[in-house]
Amino acid sequence: MEAVKFHVRKNDLVVVMAGKEKGKSGKILKVLPKKKRVIVEKVNFVKRHSRPTGRMRQGGIIQKEAPIHISNVLILCPKCNQGVRTGKRALEDGQKSLVCKKCGELIERK
Ligand SMILES: [Zn+2]
């Protein structure tokens, strides 16, 4: 079974294009393919109350990133310094690279 292909993947730097977190950027920590959502570092923090459990005796409020819809994020182009649509380009060595559709710059993926 082939994995679902999204325009972003784990470790990509993205910008949030819609919703209350609009304009924020961060690294994708996790992709949730079934839900079509992503968790972006330091974006969409929600407060959760946690009960004291064995390991975390303190309990209290913890902050955690909540997933946002994958269609609300775009790859951050370092040159344009904004969220951009991206395309793929085959390199000479046969690898496919991500390019910014706006400025044509190759976008490195980690
Ligand atoms: Zn660009």
Side-chain angles (χ1 to χ4, degrees), residues 31-99:
V31 179
L32 310 164
K34 280 183 189 162
K35 292 178 178 169
K36 294 196 171 65
R37 283 172 186 269
V38 289
I39 294 175
V40 184
E41 192 177 33
K42 296 192 179 76
V43 168
N44 205 24
F45 266 120
V46 288
K47 282 179 184 163
R48 291 219 174 111
H49 294 271
S50 67
R51 298 221 174 102
T53 53
R55 207 175 267 183
M56 290 173 62
R57 260 160 226 281
Q58 284 237 283
I61 299 167
I62 52 163
Q63 288 205 317
K64 205 169 186 280
E65 289 100 340
I68 57 176
H69 201 268
I70 201 159
S71 67
N72 285 348
V73 300
L74 283 179
I75 297 275
L76 172 69
C77 171
K79 202 171 174 186
C80 302
N81 200 27
Q82 60 176 276
V84 293
R85 307 234 162 246
T86 50
K88 294 259 173 76
R89 188 194 289 162
L91 299 178
E92 283 175 16
D93 61 4
Q95 283 204 311
K96 282 201 181 117
S97 177
L98 204 63
V99 289

Side-chain angles (χ1 to χ4, degrees), residues 14-25:
V14 295
V15 183
V16 184
M17 303 307 286
K20 68 181 172 77
E21 300 293 290
K22 190 176 172 179
K24 287 193 182 176
S25 60

